[in-house]
Structures are given as structure tokens and as C-alpha cells.
Amino acid sequence: MSNEIGIRAAARGDEEALSAVGKASFLEAFAGILDGGDIIAHCERQHAAAVYRDWLADADMRIWLAEATPGRAPIGYLVLAPAKLPVADPRDDDLEIKRIYLLHRFHGQRVGRRLMDAAVADARARGAGRVLLGVYAGNHDALAFYQRCGFAQIGQRTFRVGDTDYDDIILALPLQPAAA
């Protein structure tokens, strides 16, 4: 079955959809890799609807929601925010992709690339010099995707999921000013 995928700016009222996709895609990506209890605890804290409600109310945050049609079922999203990653050379004009999630069944349909393109265009429009993100060092599929998008490693950090610390890689995409 072929679905058409729409991407739009998320708005107040989308917090439950974002929460559902966040929990489902995190579990889908890390079940059998990370501790199950840690996954559940992480999803309950980090993917609660209240987290997304707060982000949607924050003028510095941008969220794009991918929806399958017919029916507009949420299948993925991307969150762009002011950067808070521990990098050696933080810049005032850095932005961070805090989350980019897509249900596995929709991989390979360029949805992730379309979400990334929307975020990069917005970052350029906001005058960002680069876009940063953190990714689990063992997530080889995500690392390959980010490399195809032009990201390169600039650091590392420890990322807590539940009660366990994991190694993350910090990547950066330098942005050139848009052609006038």
C-alpha cells in the first residue's frame, strides 16, 4: 500500500500525536538494544505530551510533523531548538535538532530527508551558522543518514536513558548563507 506523506508545522493541539510517535519510534528503534525498563522510563519522562506542549508554546522551538494520508495519521517529526549540546566551540548562532523520529515502516520514502530539509531551510532563514545534533553511537542507520545529509562528527557526550548512560556522537552541519 502506498501512502502520501504530508509535512507541516506542528501547532498547539499536536502534543498527543507527537508524544505517540516519539514513544513508538523510540521503542521501535531501541528495543533489543537498550534496556527495556530504561526505554519505558525515558519515554514516560521525555515523550510525555506535556514536554511537547511546552515546546509548541516556545517561540524559539520549531517542530515539523509528518502525516500519512489518507487520515493524517502522525508518522514522524523533527524538533529544531537553540543548541544546548556540550561542544568545544559553542556558537551563539548554533541550532540543534533535538529529535528526528520516523516510524520504521516509512523509512526509505525520503520523509526523513524532507523533515531535515525543512529544518535546514528554517535554520538558514534564522541566520544559524550550523545545525548540531546528538545521536547514539550504536545507531548506525541514523549515522549513515546524517552523513548523507552532510553532517560530520565534532564531539561526543553521555546521554542518559532511564537509569543508564550511553555514548552519543555530536554531529554538525555547517550552513552557508543562502544565495541572494
Side-chain angles (χ1 to χ4, degrees), residues 35-105:
D35 178 78
D38 285 342
I39 292 171
I40 298 301
H42 178 81
C43 286
E44 289 304 310
R45 283 192 295 261
Q46 301 301 320
H47 292 285
V51 170
Y52 295 100
R53 187 175 303 111
D54 290 346
W55 287 355
L56 288 165
D58 186 334
D60 291 330
M61 306 282 286
R62 305 284 192 281
I63 305 175
W64 291 267
L65 182 62
E67 299 171 318
T69 54
R72 294 186 53 204
I75 61 156
Y77 65 89
L78 184 147
V79 178
L80 183 67
K84 294 184 179 174
L85 289 167
V87 295
D89 62 338
R91 303 175 190 173
D92 290 340
D93 64 350
D94 285 343
L95 290 175
E96 175 185 348
I97 293 175
K98 292 192 76 58
R99 298 191 182 153
I100 177 170
Y101 289 130
L102 180 64
L103 297 177
H104 188 266
R105 132 178 173 184

Side-chain angles (χ1 to χ4, degrees), residues 134-147:
V135 59
Y136 173 54
N139 192 341
H140 302 293
D141 290 341
L143 287 165
F145 170 71
Y146 299 136
Q147 184 178 20

Side-chain angles (χ1 to χ4, degrees), residues 165-179:
D165 290 334
Y166 295 92
D167 293 326
D168 266 12
I169 294 171
I170 299 173
L171 304 174
L173 174 68
L175 300 179
Q176 303 301 322

